[in-house]
Amino acid sequence: MDRRDFLKNTVAGGVGLGMLGAAGGAQAAQGPAPGGKVPRRQLGATGADVPILLMGGTQKFDDRYDKTLHRAFELGVDYIDTAREYAQGQAQKTIGTFMKQVGDRKKMWVTSKATLVGADATPEGFRTGVDQCLEGLETDYLDMFFMHMITDERLFGPDFIRTSEELKKAGKIRFFGFSCHDGNSAELMAAAAKMGGGVDAIMFRYNFREYGDVALNKAIDACKAAGIGLIAMKTQASVPADLDAVVEFRSQDFTLGQAKLKAVWADERIDAAVSAMTNVNLVTENTAAAMSPVKLSMNEFMQLNRLAALTAHAHCLGCKQRCEPRANGLRIADTLRYLMYHECYGETDEARALYRALPRKARDFKAIDLSEATAACPQGIRIAERLAQARHVLTA
Ligand code: SF4
């Protein structure tokens, strides 16, 4: 067993104390200190503080007693992020059960989201989305409502801000914002910052692969200056496990997963990072990293940079504005995201369902010349090859 495996197994098993160098490092590797809580930061100009680590609620939890949610809550992760659509509505339902078990709504922060597209992308659809989230969670109010996965700034335009103010006055939501995964995130964030109010927080893709993105950094600066809370998602920037291992990440203090989170928290413009913690071991690992006072060393940052460079060809950044205009209607970024769900998260059924739901024109690449799209890809992804892999595993 090498040192890296040893650190990982130590986290998973909660053993092996005192053998790992500096005290802070040993603490991070073995788990959170007894009685410790995840530190908190102010969420933009909301006046609220939130833990720097947030519980991602994409899955259906155990609706009898979910150990993962309860353990995270005990350790200070009292913010849960979910959405109307997650697990076909089951995620909200099981989080509702957990909220009842906690017993005091005010001790928790619950964010939910709804994807508004087509005829639903109206203020009325917004109101309906909020009501459906409240009903799904069986609660009276949301601490935050996010327009989910938006690509159109109209969804935080004057009509929607007016509606959000009405919903706030009615006590249905406390704060309003949006989440954005793909393509034009930097533009959307810059536009929200320019409005000078109305958007309380934004959740966006941010990880060690994106440090050098100039437009994104400018948008982050602008949001920070405008008092918009910033929540990072997709912090692990996943590639399949064998590729993640190419760098043989070595650290006295952190596992690779912990280091990726620390890299995000090292950026003080970011208020919190959301993580879909699917088991208690992951809660132990992530909360330990959040509580550790040890900062990432230059050497650890360099290893992450190297990992980003060596695995770029297997990680789609979602910048679809670069490739898709050259791909005759293909939905390349969505397809590669679904492939990632299968390859990295093992969520094959979900990935297949999403892939099947794409219109045929959006996934049938056989007669399309993808050379220009491939040349435009900053990650050097061999697009035709990856789309073929996606078709192979997601239509089986
Ligand atoms: S395939 Fe490349 S260009 Fe297209 S979205 Fe992914 S990273 Fe961006």
Side-chain angles (χ1 to χ4, degrees), residues 328-348:
N328 200 27
L330 286 178
R331 300 250 296 266
I332 296 170
D334 285 337
T335 303
L336 298 189
R337 185 153 47 84
Y338 306 153
L339 183 58
M340 188 263 290
Y341 292 163
H342 158 75
E343 289 180 334
C344 306
Y345 304 161
E347 293 173 357
T348 306

Side-chain angles (χ1 to χ4, degrees), residues 316-320 322-323 332 336 377-379 383:
C316 173
L317 292 175
C319 46
K320 59 188 175 191
R322 296 174 191 265
C323 60
I332 296 170
L336 298 189
C377 176
Q379 295 289 88
I383 293 174

Side-chain angles (χ1 to χ4, degrees), residues 106-299:
K106 290 198 168 53
K107 284 190 178 162
M108 296 185 61
W109 178 296
V110 180
T111 291
S112 198
K113 314 189 273 303
T115 310
L116 301 186
V117 290
D120 285 343
T122 60
E124 201 38 52
F126 175 13
R127 281 195 200 91
T128 304
V130 169
D131 285 340
Q132 288 173 341
C133 291
L134 295 175
E135 194 184 322
L137 288 157
E138 293 187 53
T139 189
D140 296 332
Y141 70 93
L142 301 172
D143 295 280
M144 176 81 74
F145 178 84
F146 279 146
M147 294 288 181
H148 194 24
M149 291 181 67
I150 70 166
T151 54
D152 182 350
E153 62 185 79
R154 206 173 52 79
L155 287 168
F156 55 89
D159 290 353
F160 290 86
I161 297 298
R162 207 172 304 118
T163 306
S164 79
E165 293 305 326
E166 287 163 14
L167 290 164
K168 286 177 184 175
K169 273 198 198 108
K172 292 188 174 187
I173 64 172
R174 292 176 61 209
F175 300 108
F176 167 76
F178 62 84
S179 70
C180 47
H181 285 217
D182 290 333
N184 60 346
S185 294
E187 289 91 330
L188 294 172
M189 293 168 69
K194 217 182 259 178
M195 284 181 4
V199 173
D200 298 306
I202 298 172
M203 185 158 77
F204 67 111
R205 179 203 295 260
Y206 189 57
N207 57 58
F208 65 97
R209 295 181 190 275
E210 278 150 321
Y211 274 167
D213 186 325
V214 175
L216 184 62
N217 273 287
K218 282 186 179 166
I220 293 173
D221 283 341
C223 287
K224 197 73 201 163
I228 297 174
L230 294 174
I231 297 171
M233 63 175 161
K234 313 286 179 201
T235 57
Q236 296 295 304
S238 302
V239 288
D242 56 333
L243 278 178
D244 240 354
V246 294
V247 161
E248 282 294 318
F249 182 78
R250 288 177 185 276
S251 165
Q252 292 252 325
D253 299 314
F254 304 112
T255 63
L256 176 57
Q258 289 177 323
K260 289 176 179 178
L261 279 168
K262 293 295 273 190
V264 171
W265 291 321
D267 185 337
E268 291 178 355
R269 300 171 300 176
I270 306 300
D271 300 317
V274 66
S275 171
M277 293 179 274
T278 49
N279 58 61
V280 172
N281 287 341
L282 203 45
V283 169
T284 302
E285 180 172 353
N286 289 357
T287 53
M291 289 183 213
S292 169
V294 177
K295 294 186 172 160
L296 273 195
S297 67
M298 188 53 73
N299 177 278

